[in-house]
């Protein structure tokens, strides 16, 4: 017998681990069985199987957001990979380095002339779908070329903070393969960098009311401390975007708040909208932020650094990574002594810190126990409104320390914005429902931290079932279902439509069948008691089925909908 040789799949796992991956989420199929067999045999990273591919994608996305480094989703060809598409699209939109590993037919099968099962139109239909929603792709069909391909594609995921795609024909995972090389970093053009930094500083210097808005890329590239230092040296006010919420809150340059246009803090909105040099660093320029502005922000006068490009007026600087730009700006600015008085916000609410829909834990600020919690609601017999849930969680965190939040789309996300403690991951921009529960599982798998999941009844209907996988892996999230028997956010926009009524599902009684504990909650007193019990019960997921009275919405959702309606009205 010849000595065992390292296989292609094992080399791939090592390369993933070297880039921060700590586990693989997946669902196998026959085209992926050899790959999954290698995952199990090599045991380089634990394999966590779930029930439906969208959840595989959401869990891997959450793992990457929360700890930094790569997330990994492994699926079979066709039916599996195409089931994953929406989760990968969301990761693309929100800048998550998610690696898709897909099984595929072997070359000799493809040459048979037969249609192969799971094939759509052509054998490469799947490849072409993924080319649209990933930043780099490779087909590992030659063990000689695979190490270079793996290095290039995985490095691209981290450099661009976007998903990537690796297709692995089923005869390849067990083939002997050399180690994946370490590639030299891609360096930007030094002259372009200098010109860009000069122009940017000149524009800020000439402005009367410059404002720095920080966004999700600051977190993805680990630039929080450096950008805080930059803001301190520039001495200009900082705000965050919606996706950047929580950024810089624990630094010498704490932001004045999160910009949400008419739905947010009016002082923050005025400052942003009246700025004559608004500098957006790593901000996804989306309608969630900018379509609800009272005064349309003319982005032609803004400075926008995003996706490796910097735009100022009609000047574009291409291929300038944010990290290089921030470092060059810092190098340009002479060291100045800390001047907290210049940055202090008169009358600002203490510590609007905490949660950020793009978080990883390094960015989660430690919040003093006395941090503001939403208007403390009594634990009485009144029915539970969304804000009561934020208040109850605030009290729980104040007493026992913050927990990370995984949040879905719907009023639960607007409610989560009220919380000032705990890191938050949520699809704040792409807004794909069904993220919350699987994201909570991915978060706990990747970090070991116990999460709180905030999810609406509609979204829970999509992926709540995945909780049945928690017991097997020892995950025990606390899941708060905002059960308003409605697609309430849609109803807020279009109250007359009857189709938004979902009827009341009894989620509490489903928990036991999935290996967890269910608590039906109707009053604020019951909410407080159930939360306390859930918190003290470890080892099984805890589901709070919170029955919210019809029409009860969070104030932020009400303001957001009012703003959108007002602005979409002609005239
Ligand atoms: C995958 C569109 C946005 S909000 C919403 C829908 C259907 C209703 C959410 O109901 P839920 O929460 O979860 O009960 P709440 O607070 O509003 O009652 N399909 C996908 N994603 C989105 N965003 C939609 C549809 C949508
Ligand atoms: Mg609902």
């Amino acid at each position: 017998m010849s000595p065992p040789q390292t296989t292609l799949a094992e080399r791939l796992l090592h390369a993933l681990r070297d880039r921060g991956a700590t586990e693989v989420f997946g669902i196998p199929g026959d085209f992926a069985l050899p790959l999954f067999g290698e995952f199990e045999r090599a045991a380089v990273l634990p394999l966590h199987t779930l029930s439906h591919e969208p959840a595989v994608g959401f869990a891997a996305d959450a793992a990457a957001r929360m700890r930094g480094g790569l997330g990994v989703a492994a699926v079979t060809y066709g039916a599996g990979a195409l089931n994953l598409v929406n989760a990968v699209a969301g990761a693309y939109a929100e800048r998550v380095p998610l690696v898709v590993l897909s099984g595929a037919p072997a070359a000799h099968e493809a040459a048979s002339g037969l249609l192969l099962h799971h094939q759509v139109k052509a054998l490469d239909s799947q490849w072409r779908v993924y080319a649209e929603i990933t930043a780099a792709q490779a087909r590992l069909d030659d063990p000689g070329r695979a190490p270079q391909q793996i290095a290039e594609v995985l490095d691209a995921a981290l450099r661009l903070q976007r998903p990537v795609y690796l297709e692995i024909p089923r005869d390849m995972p067990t083939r002997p393969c050399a180690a994946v090389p370490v590639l030299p970093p891609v360096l930007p053009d030094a002259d372009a960098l200098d010109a860009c930094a000069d122009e940017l500083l000149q524009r800020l210097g000439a402005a009367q009311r410059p404002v720095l808005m920080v966004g999700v890329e600051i977190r993805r590239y680990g630039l929080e401390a450096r950008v805080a230092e930059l803001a301190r040296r520039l001495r200009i006010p900082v705000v965050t975007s919606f996706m950047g919420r929580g950024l810089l809150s624990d630094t010498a340059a704490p932001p004045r708040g999160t910009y949400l246009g008419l739905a947010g803090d009016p002082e923050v909105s005025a400052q942003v909208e009246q700025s004559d040099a608004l500098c957006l660093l790593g901000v996804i320029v989306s309608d969630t932020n900018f379509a609800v502005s009272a005064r349309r922000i003319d982005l032609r006068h803004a400075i926008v650094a995003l996706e490796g490009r910097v735009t100022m007026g009609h000047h574009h600087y291409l291929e300038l990574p944010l990290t290089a730009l921030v470092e060059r700006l810092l190098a340009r600015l002479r060291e100045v002594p800390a001047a907290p008085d210049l940055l202090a916000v008169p009358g600002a609410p203490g510590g609007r810190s905490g949660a950020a829909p793009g978080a990883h834990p390094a960015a989660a600020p430690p919040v003093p126990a006395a941090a503001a919690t939403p208007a403390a609601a009594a634990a009485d017999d009144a029915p539970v409104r969304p804000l009561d849930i934020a208040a109850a969680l605030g009290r729980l965190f104040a007493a026992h320390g913050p927990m990370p939040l995984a949040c879905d789309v719907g009023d639960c996300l607007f409610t989560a914005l009220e919380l000032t403690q705990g890191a938050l991951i949520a699809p704040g921009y792409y807004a794909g429902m069904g993220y919350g529960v699987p994201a909570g599982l991915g978060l706990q798998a990747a970090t070991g931290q116990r999460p709180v999941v905030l999810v609406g009844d509609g979204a829970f209907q999509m992926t709540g079932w995945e909780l049945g996988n928690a017991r097997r892996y020892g995950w025990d999230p606390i899941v708060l279902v905002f059960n308003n028997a409605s697609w309430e956010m849609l109803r807020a926009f279009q109250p007359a439509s009857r189709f938004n009524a979902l009827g009341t599902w009894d989620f509490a009684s489903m928990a036991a069948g999935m290996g967890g504990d269910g608590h039906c909650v109707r009053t604020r007193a019951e909410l407080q008691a159930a939360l306390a019990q859930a918190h003290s019960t470890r080892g099984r997921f805890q589901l709070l089925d919170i029955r919210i009275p019809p029409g009860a919405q969070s104030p932020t959702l009400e303001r957001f909908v009012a703003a959108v309606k007002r602005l979409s009205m002609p005239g």
Side-chain angles (χ1 to χ4, degrees), residues 409-412 431-433 456-459 462 484 486-490:
V409 176
D411 203 10
C412 57
M433 277 165 75
D457 54 327
M462 291 188 178
N484 50 18
S486 159
W487 285 326
E488 189 62 26
M489 192 168 158
L490 299 188

Side-chain angles (χ1 to χ4, degrees), residues 29-175:
D30 56 352
F31 290 114
L33 277 175
L35 180 65
F36 278 66
E38 280 294 290
F39 291 160
E40 206 163 82
R41 185 199 60 77
V44 175
L45 297 175
L47 168 66
H48 303 309
T49 64
L50 298 176
S51 304
H52 196 200
E53 284 84 359
V56 167
F58 293 145
D61 168 304
R65 282 187 208 225
M66 199 61 198
R67 63 153 154 62
L70 298 176
V72 188
V75 290
T76 193
Y77 179 69
L82 294 177
N83 236 348
L84 188 68
V85 163
N86 181 55
V88 179
Y92 189 95
E94 297 192 347
R95 318 296 309 278
V96 181
L98 171 62
V99 181
V100 177
L101 307 177
S102 176
H108 66 269
E109 297 174 276
S112 71
L114 295 173
L115 279 176
L116 300 176
H117 64 287
H118 297 331
Q119 178 177 335
V120 185
K121 184 164 104 183
L123 269 170
D124 66 348
S125 296
Q126 174 176 318
W127 173 282
R128 284 186 281 130
V129 168
Y130 269 91
E132 184 64 20
I133 54 169
T134 57
Q137 309 81 27
R139 183 174 158 89
L140 306 182
D141 53 5
D142 173 359
R145 287 205 305 143
Q148 178 76 19
Q149 289 176 303
I150 292 170
E152 284 173 6
V153 168
L154 298 188
D155 286 353
L158 289 177
R159 188 175 67 252
L160 304 169
Q161 291 289 311
R162 299 273 197 199
V164 296
Y165 175 71
L166 289 174
E167 193 168 284
I168 307 157
R170 69 167 144 189
D171 54 340
M172 288 292 141
T174 54
R175 299 278 290 274

Side-chain angles (χ1 to χ4, degrees), residues 382-390 410-416 454-458 480-489 491 502-505 507 519-524 526-527 544-555 557-558:
V384 180
R385 301 177 62 88
L387 216 48
D388 296 322
I389 302 176
D411 203 10
C412 57
L413 182 51
F414 290 101
T415 303
L454 305 180
V455 54
D457 54 327
L480 309 188
V481 184
F482 287 50
N483 192 355
N484 50 18
S486 159
W487 285 326
E488 189 62 26
M489 192 168 158
R491 194 210 300 277
L502 300 180
T504 302
W505 291 35
F507 299 110
H519 311 259
C520 187
V521 167
R522 294 172 198 279
T523 68
R524 303 200 288 197
E526 286 171 1
L527 174 62
L544 272 61
D545 179 353
I546 306 170
R547 307 288 167 88
I548 294 174
Q553 295 169 7
S554 73
L557 174 61
E558 281 170 359

